[in-house]
Amino acid sequence: MSTATETIEGLVKQEYKYGFVTDVETESAPPGLNEDIIRLISAKKQEPEWMTEWRLKAYRHWTTMALPQWAHVHYPPVDYQDITYYSAPKQRGDGPKSLDEVDPKLLEMYEKLGIPLKERERLAGVAVDAVFDSVSVGTTFKKQLGEKGIIFCSFSEAVQEHPDLVRKYLGAVVPHTDNFYAALNSAVFTDGSFCYIPKGVRCPMELSTYFRINAAKSGQFERTLIVADEGASVSYLEGCTAPMRDENQLHAAVVELIALDRAEIKYSTVQNWYPGDENGKGGIYNFVTKRGLCKGRNSKISWTQVETGSAITWKYPSCILQGDHSVGEFYSVAVTNNCQQADTGTKMVHIGKNTRSTIVSKGISAGRGQNSYRGLVKIQKSAAHARNFSQCDSLLIGDRCGAHTFPYIEVKNTTASVEHEATTSKIGEDQIFYCNQRGISTQDAVNMIINGFCKEVFRELPMEFAVEAQKLLGVSLEGSVG
Amino acid sequence: MSQQPILEIRSLSAGVEGRPILKGIDLVIRAGEVHAIMGPNGSGKSTLAAVLAGRDGYEVTGGQVLYDGKDLLDLDPEERAREGLFLAFQYPVEIPGVNSTYFLKAALNEVRKHKGQSELDAMEFLTLVKERMKILDLDDDLLKRSVNEGFSGGEKKRNEIFQMAVLEPRLAVLDETDSGLDIDALKVVSHGVNKLKRPDNAQLVITHYQRLLNYIVPDFVHVLVDGRIVRTGDKTLALELEEKGYDWIIKEAEAVAA
Ligand SMILES: Nc1ncnc2c1ncn2[C@@H]1O[C@H](COP(=O)(O)OP(=O)(O)OP(=O)(O)O)[C@@H](O)[C@H]1O
Ligand SMILES: [Mg+2]
């Protein structure tokens, strides 16, 4: 290997700065999965009978399902009987009524992560729901939102307070039969966020959920459901971190979005779960099902994701474009460094007339990282004049990593137009030297090139997050060149 | 002269992957001087530039290089650049996605930081850029594009000298900046280079053509053959080479060596 390549590969050394463990007393279910555990979870959450039954149905279906094998990722089989499905910080009495009752240690942890939950120190104009292991520890700005009729609360609370909405929409986009992990999630999900924007209301602030896995050997199975009623609009952000642990931990979330006539939902994710160490030990398995239904005419759902963490990422935020003239968008940056693997992309299913979709995917691979884009564009017979544009770019850093593109296109209507562009480039030693020769350090040169590569995606992120994402990318790739 | 030279190369040998390319170079460049290096293809001119700039893969196997009296070879490439060593590339590199203006501002601020000067803000930088652009008669459209991406050969060369105009190096090494330029562009670029000449800086110009030296008039002309400087003269040496080619010099050099 030439010194130049070694140089480029040398940069893959960085520390995961969110890797600390918070010492709080927790209450956990014994490891393992069976109907009793599910009844226990449901009982802990004081759920109504219909919810318990819904979970059990999903569980029974899950036991009949086989693991999906098609993704371009490799890992030893997960022992589902060795996972703890319920873990929550111990509460005094009935659980916190307000943030003042939340364990100060937890508030401190969120401060440390840069997510202040105390409203007076809140993130400017962002309402936050924080999910710690299996439960939501607090939602900010509830009152202000309530005045506009906006519901933003933990999923558990929604089941209690808004059972009709939950029953109507839960599983409407991702049925429990959808796939292995969706079925598992449906059976054991413990918390997550629920959001409803009533007719004609534009949500006045960014809504955000911050997910944190803390307990060892626990899985996190959260469920997010966002409904934007006719003419409503909302922008929602999701952030995630986890402590460094040697064993792999499972995160199998389900996110469902529903946009009625003229409604718009913008869903942004900055995913930074613990990726494992340099040699691939530990890290989160991030197996997530995210799907949006553009149910109404002229509705729009836009997914933006920056995926830098997790040992394995396996997710395809998708749009079902059912309403005529509805619009689906997917903007993604996925980074794999060291031994990380990502198989991510989207599905755009065009059903309504004149539906449009845009896919912009940027994959960055460094170290021994493997990055796959997998996307499906499906134009159904009914989707006259549907249009899709897809662009998938891969950037390689060093020569032990890989980038793969698997575009699937199915067109059943001849009036549709589908365009696909793909490029692969490499950060070359000559580019780095050129920057060095102008006084720019190798690390800065790499950041510059990567930010340039990702800018079409970054500009889709809400302002504060865009800056955060740029920094995060810098940190994730620190040490991959140099 | 008692003044310390900007660059002092002593018996420098260097190669790539164990293959010797430079075989004992001696060269002293003082403030205010312009030196030209000429020589046949493959004689090692670009290799010398690469070694001075610190490019990876070029191993120094002997000798010394002093820059302002300090050991140049001890510095990282970016440190050399910040110390005022500038290389105008024979083949400027494209960096897709990185805006030219942004790139150049980052570069200039690195140099300024290194000198203990304050960083320029966007406004101050743009004022400077506008002024320097005039020297090179550069279309400001180029600065809105990614670094060198899709630039024509001539535009790339012109852009190198424009960067030089902004960075104001102490020692500029121009590697065949003239090749690929049309006659008008050659005049503009040479004129720019001359304008950037000051009593406290120096230029090392690598070229194949005497024509360039009509515009950028060198104090010394060196002929590099097979990794050695076989002859040094004034600007008339370039004229002689233009007329007679390299053969006679190579023969003479062989005779001396034998
Ligand atoms: N990175 C490299 N790897 C392998 N060989 C190299 C490398 N760089 C230079 N060489 C070899 O060293 C010799 C000198 O090359 P160099 O580019 O310095 O010549 P030059 O004098 O600049 O030529 P030209 O006038 O054609 O630009 C050539 O034989 C070239 O093939
Ligand atoms: Mg050359």
Side-chain angles (χ1 to χ4, degrees):
Chain A
M1 206 178 358
S2 79
T3 48
T5 340
E6 275 171 36
T7 312
I8 287 184
E9 304 216 330
L11 240 166
V12 198
K13 274 166 207 99
Q14 60 111 12
E15 284 198 31
Y16 183 74
K17 67 173 175 179
Y18 307 104
F20 58 88
V21 176
T22 306
D23 181 23
V24 287
E25 252 190 283
T26 55
E27 183 181 34
S28 300
L33 188 52
N34 52 49
E35 294 202 4
D36 288 343
I37 291 282
I38 290 167
R39 285 183 212 280
L40 176 88
I41 293 171
S42 199
K44 278 274 170 220
K45 309 190 89 58
Q46 299 164 357
E47 287 177 349
E49 184 62 23
W50 62 266
M51 194 68 248
T52 317
E53 283 310 315
W54 197 85
R55 289 173 179 281
L56 288 170
K57 198 165 68 182
Y59 172 72
R60 288 172 198 136
H61 186 80
W62 178 72
T63 57
T64 67
M65 295 175 94
L67 260 174
Q69 297 290 356
W70 44 266
H72 191 84
V73 295
H74 304 277
Y75 57 96
V78 174
D79 182 354
Y80 292 93
Q81 296 305 335
D82 194 36
I83 293 176
T84 300
Y85 290 86
Y86 184 81
S87 167
K90 221 176 214 158
Q91 289 167 353
R92 294 154 287 217
D94 271 352
K97 296 261 180 324
S98 77
L99 283 167
D100 295 337
E101 291 176 31
V102 172
D103 187 334
K105 271 189 195 151
L106 283 178
L107 294 179
E108 208 176 285
M109 176 204 75
Y110 282 99
E111 295 286 339
K112 208 162 155 186
L113 293 168
I115 318 284
L117 292 182
K118 291 260 175 77
E119 294 193 16
R120 62 194 146 82
E121 300 150 21
R122 74 212 175 234
L123 289 166
V126 181
V128 182
D129 182 24
V131 176
F132 182 84
D133 289 335
S134 300
V135 296
S136 167
V137 295
T139 310
T140 62
F141 284 110
K142 236 190 223 163
K143 230 171 80 198
Q144 288 90 323
L145 293 169
E147 281 158 15
K148 294 207 160 230
I150 295 170
I151 302 169
F152 179 45
C153 62
S154 70
F155 209 96
S156 316
E157 193 179 327
V159 171
Q160 306 294 340
E161 309 285 323
H162 311 282
D164 296 346
L165 282 171
V166 174
R167 266 187 108 158
K168 183 164 174 194
Y169 291 111
L170 179 66
V173 189
V174 181
H176 69 269
T177 50
D178 191 80
N179 69 69
F180 186 84
Y181 298 108
L184 179 63
N185 173 288
S186 302
V188 304
F189 75 87
T190 36
D191 217 332
S193 300
F194 175 79
C195 172
Y196 173 79
I197 317 287
K199 266 183 204 170
V201 173
R202 311 192 129 260
C203 185
M205 60 181 84
E206 305 278 349
L207 301 185
S208 166
T209 300
Y210 194 86
F211 295 108
R212 171 80 179 166
I213 298 179
N214 191 62
K217 289 209 158 187
S218 68
Q220 182 149 319
F221 304 91
E222 79 274 353
R223 188 107 197 169
T224 302
L225 175 56
I226 300 175
V227 181
D229 212 324
E230 291 171 20
S233 74
V234 61
S235 169
Y236 185 92
L237 320 168
E238 175 200 281
C240 341
T241 57
M244 289 193 241
R245 297 189 186 280
D246 283 350
E247 70 274 16
N248 296 103
Q249 285 179 282
L250 180 64
H251 172 248
V254 172
V255 176
E256 296 179 278
L257 311 182
I258 295 157
L260 303 185
D261 282 2
R262 301 179 321 283
E264 276 189 41
I265 302 175
K266 183 174 173 61
Y267 193 105
S268 314
T269 305
V270 174
Q271 184 265 109
N272 187 27
W273 296 116
Y274 177 53
D277 73 6
E278 260 166 77
N279 303 311
K281 198 168 172 55
I284 302 292
Y285 291 161
N286 189 33
F287 300 157
V288 169
T289 307
K290 289 184 168 173
R291 194 173 304 153
L293 173 63
C294 281
K295 197 171 160 70
R297 290 171 62 88
N298 292 303
S299 56
K300 177 175 173 181
I301 288 179
S302 180
W303 298 101
T304 305
Q305 60 173 20
V306 176
E307 303 279 321
T308 62
S310 297
I312 301 178
T313 293
W314 188 89
K315 69 181 250 197
Y316 313 90
S318 305
C319 297
I320 314 286
L321 303 172
Q322 183 182 315
D324 291 348
H325 304 276
S326 60
V327 175
E329 294 174 338
F330 173 74
Y331 298 94
S332 168
V333 168
V335 180
T336 52
N337 197 352
N338 295 320
C339 300
Q340 282 177 276
Q341 306 175 58
D343 193 304
T344 182
T346 185
K347 280 189 256 180
M348 293 290 175
V349 180
H350 293 253
I351 301 171
K353 291 189 203 59
N354 292 305
T355 46
R356 280 179 290 138
S357 63
T358 304
I359 298 171
V360 177
S361 159
K362 305 278 179 176
I364 301 170
S365 321
R368 283 174 283 159
Q370 291 294 328
N371 210 322
S372 304
Y373 167 80
R374 189 182 303 276
L376 169 68
V377 175
K378 188 170 180 175
I379 312 267
Q380 300 205 340
K381 214 165 167 155
S382 52
H385 305 287
R387 276 181 291 153
N388 161 267
F389 172 74
S390 305
Q391 185 186 330
C392 302
D393 299 323
S394 308
L395 185 67
L396 303 174
I397 305 177
D399 49 18
R400 289 182 304 164
C401 53
H404 317 272
T405 308
F406 305 98
Y408 305 96
I409 298 172
E410 282 174 38
V411 180
K412 299 216 176 88
N413 186 307
T414 51
T415 62
S417 90
V418 174
E419 270 179 84
H420 179 91
E421 284 175 13
T423 65
T424 299
S425 52
K426 214 174 152 156
I427 296 189
E429 180 267 335
D430 55 340
Q431 291 174 325
I432 300 288
F433 177 64
Y434 190 78
C435 295
N436 288 162
Q437 214 305 301
R438 298 298 183 252
I440 298 166
S441 71
T442 301
Q443 185 65 58
D444 289 346
V446 171
N447 284 349
M448 228 181 219
I449 294 170
I450 286 174
N451 282 327
F453 179 72
C454 300
K455 69 182 163 215
E456 289 140 288
V457 175
F458 285 166
R459 73 170 166 238
E460 295 298 325
L461 285 172
M463 203 39 194
E464 321 84 85
F465 255 41
V467 176
E468 203 46 42
Q470 283 196 15
K471 273 196 247 152
L472 189 57
L473 224 59
V475 175
S476 290
L477 288 163
E478 202 163 280
S480 61
V481 185
Chain B
M1 258 182 279
S2 61
Q3 207 196 353
Q4 188 178 54
I6 292 183
L7 187 74
E8 194 171 352
I9 304 177
R10 295 184 193 148
S11 333
L12 177 70
S13 19
V16 173
E17 285 166 4
R19 181 185 146 201
I21 300 171
L22 300 181
K23 302 167 183 172
I25 304 263
D26 289 282
L27 181 64
V28 176
I29 299 179
R30 294 174 193 279
E33 293 178 349
V34 176
H35 290 240
I37 293 191
M38 303 183 79
N41 293 132
S43 56
K45 304 181 296 295
S46 295
T47 300
L48 177 61
V51 169
L52 293 178
R55 185 164 200 150
D56 230 342
Y58 290 80
E59 304 132 36
V60 173
T61 49
Q64 257 194 318
V65 181
L66 298 179
Y67 178 82
D68 279 333
K70 283 173 293 191
D71 184 359
L72 180 74
L73 303 178
D74 210 32
L75 303 177
D76 286 338
E78 61 268 34
E79 291 168 335
R80 299 181 196 195
R82 291 171 197 164
E83 287 277 339
L85 177 78
F86 180 90
L87 171 60
F89 285 65
Q90 182 173 2
Y91 305 107
V93 179
E94 300 195 0
I95 312 180
V98 177
N99 173 270
S100 293
T101 309
Y102 180 81
F103 174 80
L104 194 51
K105 179 162 168 264
L108 178 63
N109 280 332
E110 288 297 345
V111 173
R112 291 181 63 93
K113 255 193 296 190
H114 186 75
K115 287 190 193 155
Q117 296 169 333
S118 65
E119 295 186 31
L120 292 189
D121 65 27
M123 284 312 293
E124 294 167 320
F125 179 72
L126 281 179
T127 313
L128 175 75
V129 158
K130 287 230 166 72
E131 179 207 319
R132 299 300 148 89
M133 235 157 37
K134 277 188 235 143
I135 304 180
L136 270 301
D137 194 14
L138 200 74
D139 186 355
D140 64 355
D141 191 46
L142 290 183
L143 285 177
K144 294 180 189 140
R145 287 161 53 183
S146 294
V147 178
N148 290 318
E149 194 186 29
F151 287 23
S152 76
E155 285 168 344
K156 282 183 185 166
K157 293 303 181 71
R158 204 186 275 232
N159 187 37
E160 292 292 286
I161 305 305
F162 167 66
Q163 294 184 16
M164 172 180 160
V166 171
L167 298 175
E168 301 184 279
R170 185 156 159 78
L171 175 64
V173 179
L174 312 186
D175 192 355
E176 293 196 30
T177 298
D178 53 335
S179 55
L181 290 179
D182 65 39
I183 296 166
D184 293 337
L186 180 69
K187 283 185 195 161
V188 172
V189 167
S190 314
H191 175 71
V193 172
N194 287 333
K195 266 196 128 168
L196 296 171
K197 188 176 153 182
R198 286 198 318 242
D200 65 342
N201 66 18
Q203 295 164 352
L204 176 60
V205 180
I206 297 171
T207 183
H208 283 292
Y209 304 105
Q210 190 276 329
R211 195 183 57 190
L212 175 71
L213 305 180
N214 286 335
Y215 300 106
I216 302 176
V217 182
D219 300 297
F220 300 94
V221 174
H222 311 277
V223 181
L224 188 67
V225 174
D226 191 21
R228 290 185 184 88
I229 290 178
V230 296
R231 184 177 287 238
T232 293
D234 61 12
K235 62 185 180 193
T236 58
L237 177 58
L239 284 167
E240 207 176 345
L241 289 171
E242 176 95 341
E243 206 176 298
K244 304 200 258 176
Y246 290 111
D247 264 5
W248 62 279
I249 275 195
I250 295 172
K251 287 209 182 87
E252 266 189 34
E254 278 166 359
V256 171

PDB file of all heavy atoms in Angstrom, chain B residues 20-39:
ATOM      1  N   PRO B  20      15.383   6.442  -8.298  1.00  0.00           N
ATOM      2  CA  PRO B  20      15.937   7.794  -8.174  1.00  0.00           C
ATOM      3  C   PRO B  20      15.488   8.688  -9.325  1.00  0.00           C
ATOM      4  O   PRO B  20      15.492   8.264 -10.479  1.00  0.00           O
ATOM      5  CB  PRO B  20      17.456   7.593  -8.217  1.00  0.00           C
ATOM      6  CG  PRO B  20      17.703   6.167  -8.577  1.00  0.00           C
ATOM      7  CD  PRO B  20      16.420   5.418  -8.601  1.00  0.00           C
ATOM      8  N   ILE B  21      15.086   9.918  -8.994  1.00  0.00           N
ATOM      9  CA  ILE B  21      14.683  10.874 -10.031  1.00  0.00           C
ATOM     10  C   ILE B  21      15.558  12.137  -9.949  1.00  0.00           C
ATOM     11  O   ILE B  21      16.131  12.556 -10.936  1.00  0.00           O
ATOM     12  CB  ILE B  21      13.184  11.233  -9.921  1.00  0.00           C
ATOM     13  CG1 ILE B  21      12.326   9.957 -10.075  1.00  0.00           C
ATOM     14  CG2 ILE B  21      12.802  12.246 -11.000  1.00  0.00           C
ATOM     15  CD1 ILE B  21      10.866  10.149  -9.771  1.00  0.00           C
ATOM     16  N   LEU B  22      15.653  12.704  -8.758  1.00  0.00           N
ATOM     17  CA  LEU B  22      16.561  13.841  -8.576  1.00  0.00           C
ATOM     18  C   LEU B  22      17.884  13.301  -8.047  1.00  0.00           C
ATOM     19  O   LEU B  22      17.905  12.532  -7.095  1.00  0.00           O
ATOM     20  CB  LEU B  22      15.966  14.850  -7.579  1.00  0.00           C
ATOM     21  CG  LEU B  22      14.613  15.455  -7.959  1.00  0.00           C
ATOM     22  CD1 LEU B  22      14.153  16.448  -6.889  1.00  0.00           C
ATOM     23  CD2 LEU B  22      14.658  16.124  -9.328  1.00  0.00           C
ATOM     24  N   LYS B  23      18.970  13.719  -8.688  1.00  0.00           N
ATOM     25  CA  LYS B  23      20.254  13.081  -8.375  1.00  0.00           C
ATOM     26  C   LYS B  23      21.304  14.080  -7.939  1.00  0.00           C
ATOM     27  O   LYS B  23      22.400  14.120  -8.487  1.00  0.00           O
ATOM     28  CB  LYS B  23      20.729  12.290  -9.598  1.00  0.00           C
ATOM     29  CG  LYS B  23      19.702  11.242 -10.031  1.00  0.00           C
ATOM     30  CD  LYS B  23      20.007  10.677 -11.396  1.00  0.00           C
ATOM     31  CE  LYS B  23      18.918   9.683 -11.806  1.00  0.00           C
ATOM     32  NZ  LYS B  23      19.075   9.255 -13.198  1.00  0.00           N
ATOM     33  N   GLY B  24      20.970  14.926  -6.999  1.00  0.00           N
ATOM     34  CA  GLY B  24      21.951  15.899  -6.508  1.00  0.00           C
ATOM     35  C   GLY B  24      21.702  17.273  -7.076  1.00  0.00           C
ATOM     36  O   GLY B  24      22.325  17.676  -8.059  1.00  0.00           O
ATOM     37  N   ILE B  25      20.753  17.994  -6.485  1.00  0.00           N
ATOM     38  CA  ILE B  25      20.403  19.330  -6.965  1.00  0.00           C
ATOM     39  C   ILE B  25      20.960  20.367  -5.983  1.00  0.00           C
ATOM     40  O   ILE B  25      20.818  20.205  -4.768  1.00  0.00           O
ATOM     41  CB  ILE B  25      18.868  19.512  -7.015  1.00  0.00           C
ATOM     42  CG1 ILE B  25      18.225  18.432  -7.873  1.00  0.00           C
ATOM     43  CG2 ILE B  25      18.498  20.930  -7.437  1.00  0.00           C
ATOM     44  CD1 ILE B  25      17.941  18.831  -9.284  1.00  0.00           C
ATOM     45  N   ASP B  26      21.612  21.397  -6.523  1.00  0.00           N
ATOM     46  CA  ASP B  26      22.026  22.534  -5.716  1.00  0.00           C
ATOM     47  C   ASP B  26      21.400  23.775  -6.325  1.00  0.00           C
ATOM     48  O   ASP B  26      21.492  23.977  -7.536  1.00  0.00           O
ATOM     49  CB  ASP B  26      23.555  22.686  -5.723  1.00  0.00           C
ATOM     50  CG  ASP B  26      24.223  21.569  -4.930  1.00  0.00           C
ATOM     51  OD1 ASP B  26      24.209  21.667  -3.692  1.00  0.00           O
ATOM     52  OD2 ASP B  26      24.715  20.603  -5.569  1.00  0.00           O
ATOM     53  N   LEU B  27      20.767  24.564  -5.470  1.00  0.00           N
ATOM     54  CA  LEU B  27      20.101  25.752  -5.996  1.00  0.00           C
ATOM     55  C   LEU B  27      19.887  26.737  -4.854  1.00  0.00           C
ATOM     56  O   LEU B  27      19.446  26.354  -3.775  1.00  0.00           O
ATOM     57  CB  LEU B  27      18.750  25.349  -6.606  1.00  0.00           C
ATOM     58  CG  LEU B  27      17.896  26.440  -7.246  1.00  0.00           C
ATOM     59  CD1 LEU B  27      18.590  27.050  -8.457  1.00  0.00           C
ATOM     60  CD2 LEU B  27      16.549  25.850  -7.678  1.00  0.00           C
ATOM     61  N   VAL B  28      20.255  27.995  -5.111  1.00  0.00           N
ATOM     62  CA  VAL B  28      20.039  29.027  -4.087  1.00  0.00           C
ATOM     63  C   VAL B  28      19.179  30.124  -4.686  1.00  0.00           C
ATOM     64  O   VAL B  28      19.467  30.638  -5.771  1.00  0.00           O
ATOM     65  CB  VAL B  28      21.383  29.617  -3.607  1.00  0.00           C
ATOM     66  CG1 VAL B  28      21.132  30.760  -2.623  1.00  0.00           C
ATOM     67  CG2 VAL B  28      22.227  28.534  -2.959  1.00  0.00           C
ATOM     68  N   ILE B  29      18.094  30.449  -4.012  1.00  0.00           N
ATOM     69  CA  ILE B  29      17.205  31.514  -4.492  1.00  0.00           C
ATOM     70  C   ILE B  29      17.099  32.583  -3.412  1.00  0.00           C
ATOM     71  O   ILE B  29      16.782  32.286  -2.261  1.00  0.00           O
ATOM     72  CB  ILE B  29      15.805  30.948  -4.823  1.00  0.00           C
ATOM     73  CG1 ILE B  29      15.915  29.885  -5.923  1.00  0.00           C
ATOM     74  CG2 ILE B  29      14.870  32.065  -5.259  1.00  0.00           C
ATOM     75  CD1 ILE B  29      14.603  29.248  -6.319  1.00  0.00           C
ATOM     76  N   ARG B  30      17.405  33.813  -3.817  1.00  0.00           N
ATOM     77  CA  ARG B  30      17.353  34.918  -2.853  1.00  0.00           C
ATOM     78  C   ARG B  30      16.150  35.811  -3.114  1.00  0.00           C
ATOM     79  O   ARG B  30      15.560  35.780  -4.202  1.00  0.00           O
ATOM     80  CB  ARG B  30      18.630  35.757  -2.960  1.00  0.00           C
ATOM     81  CG  ARG B  30      19.859  35.002  -2.535  1.00  0.00           C
ATOM     82  CD  ARG B  30      21.129  35.785  -2.777  1.00  0.00           C
ATOM     83  NE  ARG B  30      22.259  34.881  -2.624  1.00  0.00           N
ATOM     84  CZ  ARG B  30      22.775  34.532  -1.443  1.00  0.00           C
ATOM     85  NH1 ARG B  30      22.269  35.046  -0.330  1.00  0.00           N
ATOM     86  NH2 ARG B  30      23.772  33.685  -1.365  1.00  0.00           N
ATOM     87  N   ALA B  31      15.831  36.610  -2.128  1.00  0.00           N
ATOM     88  CA  ALA B  31      14.705  37.538  -2.246  1.00  0.00           C
ATOM     89  C   ALA B  31      14.896  38.432  -3.466  1.00  0.00           C
ATOM     90  O   ALA B  31      16.016  38.858  -3.769  1.00  0.00           O
ATOM     91  CB  ALA B  31      14.597  38.383  -0.980  1.00  0.00           C
ATOM     92  N   GLY B  32      13.825  38.671  -4.168  1.00  0.00           N
ATOM     93  CA  GLY B  32      13.853  39.561  -5.318  1.00  0.00           C
ATOM     94  C   GLY B  32      14.246  38.880  -6.617  1.00  0.00           C
ATOM     95  O   GLY B  32      14.210  39.507  -7.670  1.00  0.00           O
ATOM     96  N   GLU B  33      14.599  37.574  -6.554  1.00  0.00           N
ATOM     97  CA  GLU B  33      15.077  36.902  -7.773  1.00  0.00           C
ATOM     98  C   GLU B  33      13.975  36.103  -8.469  1.00  0.00           C
ATOM     99  O   GLU B  33      13.050  35.607  -7.830  1.00  0.00           O
ATOM    100  CB  GLU B  33      16.213  35.925  -7.416  1.00  0.00           C
ATOM    101  CG  GLU B  33      17.473  36.636  -6.930  1.00  0.00           C
ATOM    102  CD  GLU B  33      18.577  35.651  -6.534  1.00  0.00           C
ATOM    103  OE1 GLU B  33      18.314  34.430  -6.436  1.00  0.00           O
ATOM    104  OE2 GLU B  33      19.692  36.128  -6.312  1.00  0.00           O
ATOM    105  N   VAL B  34      14.151  35.973  -9.793  1.00  0.00           N
ATOM    106  CA  VAL B  34      13.321  35.063 -10.567  1.00  0.00           C
ATOM    107  C   VAL B  34      14.228  34.020 -11.204  1.00  0.00           C
ATOM    108  O   VAL B  34      15.192  34.367 -11.871  1.00  0.00           O
ATOM    109  CB  VAL B  34      12.544  35.823 -11.670  1.00  0.00           C
ATOM    110  CG1 VAL B  34      11.765  34.841 -12.530  1.00  0.00           C
ATOM    111  CG2 VAL B  34      11.617  36.861 -11.052  1.00  0.00           C
ATOM    112  N   HIS B  35      13.952  32.773 -10.945  1.00  0.00           N
ATOM    113  CA  HIS B  35      14.731  31.680 -11.533  1.00  0.00           C
ATOM    114  C   HIS B  35      13.843  30.892 -12.483  1.00  0.00           C
ATOM    115  O   HIS B  35      12.664  30.704 -12.206  1.00  0.00           O
ATOM    116  CB  HIS B  35      15.226  30.717 -10.451  1.00  0.00           C
ATOM    117  CG  HIS B  35      16.283  31.308  -9.572  1.00  0.00           C
ATOM    118  ND1 HIS B  35      17.549  30.763  -9.462  1.00  0.00           N
ATOM    119  CD2 HIS B  35      16.273  32.399  -8.756  1.00  0.00           C
ATOM    120  CE1 HIS B  35      18.261  31.491  -8.611  1.00  0.00           C
ATOM    121  NE2 HIS B  35      17.507  32.486  -8.165  1.00  0.00           N
ATOM    122  N   ALA B  36      14.432  30.440 -13.583  1.00  0.00           N
ATOM    123  CA  ALA B  36      13.687  29.571 -14.495  1.00  0.00           C
ATOM    124  C   ALA B  36      14.365  28.208 -14.526  1.00  0.00           C
ATOM    125  O   ALA B  36      15.599  28.126 -14.448  1.00  0.00           O
ATOM    126  CB  ALA B  36      13.658  30.177 -15.885  1.00  0.00           C
ATOM    127  N   ILE B  37      13.568  27.166 -14.587  1.00  0.00           N
ATOM    128  CA  ILE B  37      14.124  25.824 -14.786  1.00  0.00           C
ATOM    129  C   ILE B  37      13.558  25.283 -16.089  1.00  0.00           C
ATOM    130  O   ILE B  37      12.343  25.312 -16.312  1.00  0.00           O
ATOM    131  CB  ILE B  37      13.765  24.871 -13.639  1.00  0.00           C
ATOM    132  CG1 ILE B  37      14.469  25.327 -12.355  1.00  0.00           C
ATOM    133  CG2 ILE B  37      14.171  23.433 -13.994  1.00  0.00           C
ATOM    134  CD1 ILE B  37      14.409  24.326 -11.231  1.00  0.00           C
ATOM    135  N   MET B  38      14.468  24.852 -16.955  1.00  0.00           N
ATOM    136  CA  MET B  38      14.044  24.249 -18.210  1.00  0.00           C
ATOM    137  C   MET B  38      14.640  22.856 -18.269  1.00  0.00           C
ATOM    138  O   MET B  38      15.520  22.521 -17.484  1.00  0.00           O
ATOM    139  CB  MET B  38      14.533  25.101 -19.386  1.00  0.00           C
ATOM    140  CG  MET B  38      14.021  26.544 -19.288  1.00  0.00           C
ATOM    141  SD  MET B  38      14.480  27.584 -20.686  1.00  0.00           S
ATOM    142  CE  MET B  38      13.304  27.073 -21.923  1.00  0.00           C
ATOM    143  N   GLY B  39      14.151  22.071 -19.191  1.00  0.00           N
ATOM    144  CA  GLY B  39      14.714  20.728 -19.294  1.00  0.00           C
ATOM    145  C   GLY B  39      13.756  19.807 -20.009  1.00  0.00           C
ATOM    146  O   GLY B  39      12.563  20.069 -20.067  1.00  0.00           O
TER     147      GLY B  39
END
